[in-house]
mmCIF file of all heavy atoms in Angstrom:
data_model
loop_
_atom_site.group_PDB
_atom_site.id
_atom_site.type_symbol
_atom_site.label_atom_id
_atom_site.label_comp_id
_atom_site.label_asym_id
_atom_site.label_seq_id
_atom_site.Cartn_x
_atom_site.Cartn_y
_atom_site.Cartn_z
ATOM 1 N N SER A 41 4.539 9.011 -14.167
ATOM 2 C CA SER A 41 4.884 10.435 -14.744
ATOM 3 C C SER A 41 5.339 10.189 -16.142
ATOM 4 O O SER A 41 6.133 10.951 -16.580
ATOM 5 C CB SER A 41 5.692 11.066 -13.893
ATOM 6 O OG SER A 41 7.037 10.463 -13.744
ATOM 7 N N SER A 42 4.851 9.130 -16.893
ATOM 8 C CA SER A 42 5.294 8.873 -18.155
ATOM 9 C C SER A 42 4.944 10.056 -19.101
ATOM 10 O O SER A 42 3.729 10.461 -19.031
ATOM 11 C CB SER A 42 4.595 7.613 -18.729
ATOM 12 O OG SER A 42 4.812 7.478 -20.060
ATOM 13 N N ARG A 43 5.843 10.630 -19.835
ATOM 14 C CA ARG A 43 5.623 11.689 -20.580
ATOM 15 C C ARG A 43 4.691 11.288 -21.807
ATOM 16 O O ARG A 43 4.070 12.115 -22.351
ATOM 17 C CB ARG A 43 6.777 12.347 -21.149
ATOM 18 C CG ARG A 43 7.718 12.886 -19.979
ATOM 19 C CD ARG A 43 8.965 13.458 -20.443
ATOM 20 N NE ARG A 43 9.803 13.689 -19.234
ATOM 21 C CZ ARG A 43 10.389 14.952 -18.980
ATOM 22 N NH1 ARG A 43 10.039 15.907 -19.709
ATOM 23 N NH2 ARG A 43 11.029 15.015 -17.878
ATOM 24 N N LYS A 44 4.802 10.008 -22.287
ATOM 25 C CA LYS A 44 4.009 9.631 -23.355
ATOM 26 C C LYS A 44 2.479 9.308 -22.926
ATOM 27 O O LYS A 44 1.580 9.558 -23.633
ATOM 28 C CB LYS A 44 4.523 8.338 -23.924
ATOM 29 C CG LYS A 44 5.805 8.391 -24.609
ATOM 30 C CD LYS A 44 6.331 7.263 -25.131
ATOM 31 C CE LYS A 44 7.696 7.507 -25.800
ATOM 32 N NZ LYS A 44 8.173 6.203 -26.383
ATOM 33 N N GLY A 45 2.280 8.925 -21.727
ATOM 34 C CA GLY A 45 0.904 8.471 -21.213
ATOM 35 C C GLY A 45 0.389 9.526 -20.306
ATOM 36 O O GLY A 45 0.964 10.477 -19.860
ATOM 37 N N PHE A 46 -0.853 9.340 -19.846
ATOM 38 C CA PHE A 46 -1.581 10.206 -18.950
ATOM 39 C C PHE A 46 -1.137 9.812 -17.555
ATOM 40 O O PHE A 46 -1.101 8.582 -17.224
ATOM 41 C CB PHE A 46 -3.075 9.898 -19.060
ATOM 42 C CG PHE A 46 -3.922 10.828 -18.213
ATOM 43 C CD1 PHE A 46 -4.133 12.029 -18.497
ATOM 44 C CD2 PHE A 46 -4.399 10.229 -17.091
ATOM 45 C CE1 PHE A 46 -4.919 12.784 -17.669
ATOM 46 C CE2 PHE A 46 -5.216 10.980 -16.279
ATOM 47 C CZ PHE A 46 -5.475 12.255 -16.653
ATOM 48 N N PRO A 47 -0.633 10.809 -16.775
ATOM 49 C CA PRO A 47 -0.349 10.491 -15.385
ATOM 50 C C PRO A 47 -1.546 9.912 -14.716
ATOM 51 O O PRO A 47 -2.584 10.310 -14.817
ATOM 52 C CB PRO A 47 0.118 11.878 -14.909
ATOM 53 C CG PRO A 47 0.309 12.661 -15.986
ATOM 54 C CD PRO A 47 -0.434 12.241 -17.127
ATOM 55 N N PHE A 48 -1.251 8.906 -13.829
ATOM 56 C CA PHE A 48 -2.320 8.198 -13.118
ATOM 57 C C PHE A 48 -1.754 7.723 -11.634
ATOM 58 O O PHE A 48 -0.595 7.676 -11.530
ATOM 59 C CB PHE A 48 -2.953 7.101 -13.906
ATOM 60 C CG PHE A 48 -1.974 5.970 -13.921
ATOM 61 C CD1 PHE A 48 -2.052 4.880 -13.048
ATOM 62 C CD2 PHE A 48 -0.982 5.875 -14.945
ATOM 63 C CE1 PHE A 48 -1.208 3.780 -13.071
ATOM 64 C CE2 PHE A 48 -0.055 4.823 -14.923
ATOM 65 C CZ PHE A 48 -0.179 3.756 -14.082
ATOM 66 N N ALA A 49 -2.793 7.599 -10.898
ATOM 67 C CA ALA A 49 -2.616 6.912 -9.599
ATOM 68 C C ALA A 49 -3.487 5.691 -9.483
ATOM 69 O O ALA A 49 -4.594 5.746 -9.911
ATOM 70 C CB ALA A 49 -2.880 7.817 -8.529
ATOM 71 N N CYS A 50 -3.001 4.661 -9.035
ATOM 72 C CA CYS A 50 -3.738 3.441 -8.967
ATOM 73 C C CYS A 50 -3.847 2.970 -7.507
ATOM 74 O O CYS A 50 -2.913 2.736 -6.877
ATOM 75 C CB CYS A 50 -3.104 2.278 -9.777
ATOM 76 S SG CYS A 50 -3.848 0.741 -9.730
ATOM 77 N N LEU A 51 -5.125 2.908 -7.051
ATOM 78 C CA LEU A 51 -5.270 2.572 -5.599
ATOM 79 C C LEU A 51 -5.933 1.163 -5.505
ATOM 80 O O LEU A 51 -7.055 0.922 -6.179
ATOM 81 C CB LEU A 51 -6.301 3.596 -5.003
ATOM 82 C CG LEU A 51 -6.715 3.422 -3.636
ATOM 83 C CD1 LEU A 51 -5.574 3.627 -2.767
ATOM 84 C CD2 LEU A 51 -7.782 4.455 -3.168
ATOM 85 N N SER A 52 -5.218 0.294 -5.035
ATOM 86 C CA SER A 52 -5.653 -1.116 -4.830
ATOM 87 C C SER A 52 -6.200 -1.264 -3.445
ATOM 88 O O SER A 52 -5.399 -1.125 -2.647
ATOM 89 C CB SER A 52 -4.842 -2.169 -5.452
ATOM 90 O OG SER A 52 -3.675 -2.109 -4.575
ATOM 91 N N LEU A 53 -7.348 -1.904 -3.126
ATOM 92 C CA LEU A 53 -7.856 -2.128 -1.855
ATOM 93 C C LEU A 53 -8.262 -3.466 -1.589
ATOM 94 O O LEU A 53 -8.643 -4.247 -2.415
ATOM 95 C CB LEU A 53 -9.207 -1.316 -1.658
ATOM 96 C CG LEU A 53 -9.123 0.179 -1.946
ATOM 97 C CD1 LEU A 53 -10.509 0.726 -1.981
ATOM 98 C CD2 LEU A 53 -8.297 0.841 -0.963
ATOM 99 N N SER A 54 -7.773 -3.968 -0.353
ATOM 100 C CA SER A 54 -8.325 -5.243 0.020
ATOM 101 C C SER A 54 -9.464 -4.890 0.951
ATOM 102 O O SER A 54 -9.692 -3.842 1.436
ATOM 103 C CB SER A 54 -7.244 -6.022 0.864
ATOM 104 O OG SER A 54 -6.825 -5.199 2.040
ATOM 105 N N THR A 55 -10.115 -5.937 1.327
ATOM 106 C CA THR A 55 -11.534 -5.743 2.037
ATOM 107 C C THR A 55 -11.215 -5.501 3.425
ATOM 108 O O THR A 55 -10.295 -5.921 4.093
ATOM 109 C CB THR A 55 -12.410 -6.892 1.872
ATOM 110 O OG1 THR A 55 -11.860 -8.001 2.438
ATOM 111 C CG2 THR A 55 -12.737 -7.121 0.531
ATOM 112 N N SER A 56 -11.985 -4.672 4.207
ATOM 113 C CA SER A 56 -11.877 -4.545 5.620
ATOM 114 C C SER A 56 -12.689 -5.571 6.189
ATOM 115 O O SER A 56 -13.444 -6.330 5.697
ATOM 116 C CB SER A 56 -12.587 -3.116 5.981
ATOM 117 O OG SER A 56 -14.037 -3.198 5.745
ATOM 118 N N PRO A 57 -12.242 -6.003 7.510
ATOM 119 C CA PRO A 57 -12.816 -7.067 8.236
ATOM 120 C C PRO A 57 -14.432 -7.170 8.303
ATOM 121 O O PRO A 57 -14.975 -8.191 8.257
ATOM 122 C CB PRO A 57 -12.214 -6.964 9.621
ATOM 123 C CG PRO A 57 -11.096 -6.137 9.507
ATOM 124 C CD PRO A 57 -11.388 -5.305 8.247
ATOM 125 N N GLY A 58 -15.048 -6.092 8.214
ATOM 126 C CA GLY A 58 -16.482 -6.106 8.359
ATOM 127 C C GLY A 58 -17.191 -6.449 7.129
ATOM 128 O O GLY A 58 -18.342 -6.886 7.098
ATOM 129 N N ILE A 59 -16.492 -6.546 5.992
ATOM 130 C CA ILE A 59 -17.077 -6.993 4.644
ATOM 131 C C ILE A 59 -16.827 -8.492 4.483
ATOM 132 O O ILE A 59 -17.654 -9.054 3.563
ATOM 133 C CB ILE A 59 -16.448 -6.164 3.488
ATOM 134 C CG1 ILE A 59 -16.792 -4.726 3.750
ATOM 135 C CG2 ILE A 59 -17.061 -6.578 2.117
ATOM 136 C CD1 ILE A 59 -15.985 -3.724 2.771
ATOM 137 N N LYS A 60 -15.877 -9.062 5.123
ATOM 138 C CA LYS A 60 -15.497 -10.444 4.825
ATOM 139 C C LYS A 60 -16.244 -11.413 5.698
ATOM 140 O O LYS A 60 -16.539 -11.172 6.910
ATOM 141 C CB LYS A 60 -13.981 -10.579 5.219
ATOM 142 C CG LYS A 60 -13.418 -11.963 4.831
ATOM 143 C CD LYS A 60 -11.900 -11.869 4.951
ATOM 144 C CE LYS A 60 -11.334 -12.189 6.204
ATOM 145 N NZ LYS A 60 -9.965 -12.373 6.355
ATOM 146 N N GLU A 61 -16.948 -12.436 5.097
ATOM 147 C CA GLU A 61 -17.637 -13.456 5.846
ATOM 148 C C GLU A 61 -17.232 -14.885 5.509
ATOM 149 O O GLU A 61 -17.118 -15.244 4.268
ATOM 150 C CB GLU A 61 -19.182 -13.241 5.523
ATOM 151 C CG GLU A 61 -20.035 -14.096 6.060
ATOM 152 C CD GLU A 61 -21.467 -14.049 5.518
ATOM 153 O OE1 GLU A 61 -21.831 -12.999 4.932
ATOM 154 O OE2 GLU A 61 -22.321 -14.984 5.651
ATOM 155 N N ALA A 62 -16.961 -15.621 6.560
ATOM 156 C CA ALA A 62 -16.627 -17.002 6.234
ATOM 157 C C ALA A 62 -17.882 -17.879 5.922
ATOM 158 O O ALA A 62 -18.950 -17.669 6.507
ATOM 159 C CB ALA A 62 -16.036 -17.725 7.531
ATOM 160 N N VAL A 63 -17.726 -18.906 5.123
ATOM 161 C CA VAL A 63 -18.766 -19.804 4.662
ATOM 162 C C VAL A 63 -18.350 -21.217 5.109
ATOM 163 O O VAL A 63 -17.246 -21.588 4.848
ATOM 164 C CB VAL A 63 -19.002 -19.713 3.123
ATOM 165 C CG1 VAL A 63 -20.108 -20.787 2.847
ATOM 166 C CG2 VAL A 63 -19.504 -18.366 2.697
#
Side-chain angles (χ1 to χ4, degrees):
S41 61
S42 169
R43 294 175 193 241
K44 293 181 181 180
F46 182 79
F48 70 95
C50 176
L51 180 64
S52 65
L53 302 173
S54 63
T55 60
S56 66
I59 300 173
K60 187 168 90 169
E61 177 188 341
V63 175

